């Protein structure tokens, strides 16, 4: 398979507690880097009803254990924090990773998460726009005015780091507008290649004179033939229940089968305009799944 466009592959770090005690975050990050994968990613969760690492702790551990891979947030929710705290976290991760940070940006997580943070759920959209507007300026060392705060105070974090790329998550109309107007990337999850193609056309129209945002896709895979591994239809049913979408709509989303078959599926995303795939695993041993995904990537090249 060949194409003028490069498609890079990243992986979601394993959940905690790991089924394999040796599969710590640093060990998983090193393993992904040794396989030749492009990035290691973690979500940003506060109150989701299951254990999860703090985003900053997890990505800092991954950064310290690696030298090459992207260190990615899939996705960072800046609006759930005070702006200064969000900027401090991003600046710290950019510093300790040596400039390898990529910030997927989202405004989701469900009402319970926002309630746990003490932030009204209805404010998530405006707060996300506010963060996307001011975070790059803060990270580049500017003093910014906070017009939505009492007294309109100025904020200066006294930091200056290379501003990481901001990839706006989700496939909603507001997310597409944010990506086109404020972001450097569009980062939808669990979408088909056809939807990527349509979204790219929408981005081109919305971006106007701005550069077309890069397109990254959050994917899910279950490769190989491990015992008990879910098949494509089974994974699609899980997605359908979790996101209230029809099975038919999401049946083309899971990456399944052999590495060669996965490479064909990845090629469809590449031809639709995607440049990056960030993959979580829907079962099986994490190390083995990472190996099979890396093999699919080599076949794609």
């Amino acid at each position: 398979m060949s194409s003028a466009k490069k498609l890079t592959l990243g992986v979601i770090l394993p959940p905690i507690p790991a089924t394999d005690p040796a599969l710590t975050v640093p060990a998983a990050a090193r393993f992904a880097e040794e396989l030749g994968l492009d990035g290691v990613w973690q979500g940003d969760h506060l109150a989701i009803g299951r254990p999860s690492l703090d985003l900053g702790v997890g990505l800092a551990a991954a950064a310290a254990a690696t030298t090459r891979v992207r260190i990615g947030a899939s996705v960072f929710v800046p609006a759930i924090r005070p702006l200064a705290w969000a900027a401090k976290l991003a600046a710290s991760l950019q510093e300790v990773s040596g400039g390898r940070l990529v910030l997927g940006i989202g405004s989701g997580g469900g009402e319970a998460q926002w309630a746990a943070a003490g932030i009204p759920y209805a404010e998530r959209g405006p707060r996300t726009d506010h963060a996307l507007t001011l975070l790059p300026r803060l990270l580049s060392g500017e003093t910014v005015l906070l017009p939505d705060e009492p007294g309109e105070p100025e904020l200066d974090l006294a930091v200056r780091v290379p501003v990481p790329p901001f990839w706006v998550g989700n496939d909603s109309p507001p997310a597409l507008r944010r990506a086109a107007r404020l972001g450097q990337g569009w980062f939808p999850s669990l979408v088909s290649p056809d939807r990527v193609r349509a979204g790219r056309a929408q981005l081109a129209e919305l971006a106007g004179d701005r550069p077309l945002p890069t397109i990254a896709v959050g994917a899910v895979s279950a490769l190989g033939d491990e015992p008990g591994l879910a098949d494509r239809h089974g994974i699609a049913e899980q997605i359908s229940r979790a996101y209230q979408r029809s099975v038919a709509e999401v049946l083309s989303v899971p990456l399944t089968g052999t590495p060669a078959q996965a490479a064909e599926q990845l090629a469809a995303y590449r031809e639709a305009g995607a440049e990056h795939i960030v993959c979580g695993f829907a079962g099986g041993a994490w190390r083995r799944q990472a190996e099979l995904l890396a093999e699919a990537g080599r076949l794609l090249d």
Side-chain angles (χ1 to χ4, degrees):
M1 301 176 189
S2 64
S3 172
K5 187 184 300 179
K6 173 72 174 177
L7 183 71
T8 63
L9 300 178
V11 289
I12 301 292
L13 289 164
I16 61 168
T19 54
D20 175 1
L23 193 62
T24 62
V25 166
R30 279 194 301 270
F31 188 72
E33 183 167 81
E34 291 165 359
L35 286 174
L37 292 167
D38 174 74
V40 291
W41 296 74
Q42 183 184 311
D44 185 18
H45 305 299
L46 177 60
I48 56 173
R50 55 179 170 81
S52 62
L53 280 178
D54 175 81
L55 176 75
V57 172
L59 291 186
T66 57
T67 60
R68 175 188 60 79
V69 290
R70 282 186 174 97
I71 303 299
S74 178
V75 293
F76 181 43
V77 186
I80 211 167
R81 301 166 170 85
L83 182 64
W85 219 303
K88 193 73 168 182
L89 174 59
S92 299
L93 285 172
Q94 183 71 314
E95 177 67 25
V96 300
S97 69
R100 292 181 282 145
L101 180 65
V102 178
L103 284 176
I105 299 289
S107 58
E111 293 190 40
Q113 177 158 285
W114 292 82
I119 304 295
Y121 188 64
E123 294 181 9
R124 66 195 185 282
R127 288 177 64 92
T128 300
D129 288 339
H130 187 63
L132 278 167
T133 300
L134 295 184
L135 279 174
R137 295 173 57 192
L138 282 168
L139 296 177
S140 64
E142 286 188 44
T143 299
V144 303
L145 185 67
L146 301 179
D148 295 335
E149 301 297 329
E152 296 190 349
E154 291 185 343
L155 177 60
D156 182 357
L157 292 184
V159 300
R160 184 182 297 274
V161 296
V163 179
F166 288 73
W167 294 357
V168 178
N170 210 330
D171 183 28
S172 66
L176 277 163
R177 289 193 294 270
R178 287 186 187 112
R181 183 168 55 91
L182 299 169
Q184 290 73 51
W186 178 46
F187 190 12
S189 291
L190 305 178
V191 293
S192 68
D194 286 343
R195 178 57 203 143
V196 171
R197 185 175 291 105
R200 187 179 189 278
Q202 291 175 273
L203 283 175
E205 183 176 346
L206 291 166
D209 293 334
R210 290 192 81 227
L212 184 68
T214 190
I215 297 177
V217 176
V220 62
S221 70
L223 302 181
D225 56 2
E226 292 183 50
L229 200 61
D231 62 10
R232 175 187 294 273
H233 198 277
I235 299 170
E237 287 181 335
Q238 294 174 28
I239 296 171
S240 173
R241 288 192 297 270
Y243 297 96
Q244 289 78 55
R245 297 161 65 185
S246 71
V247 172
E249 180 187 355
V250 298
L251 192 57
S252 65
V253 168
L255 306 175
T256 58
T258 66
Q261 289 170 323
E264 292 179 1
Q265 295 170 264
L266 291 168
Y269 281 104
R270 181 178 62 185
E271 296 309 314
E275 298 175 56
H276 311 278
I277 298 290
V278 177
C279 199
F281 302 140
W286 191 91
R287 290 177 190 268
R288 181 55 178 158
Q289 288 298 308
E291 289 172 340
L292 293 170
L293 182 66
E295 185 177 343
R298 290 190 290 272
L299 292 171
L300 181 68
D301 292 337

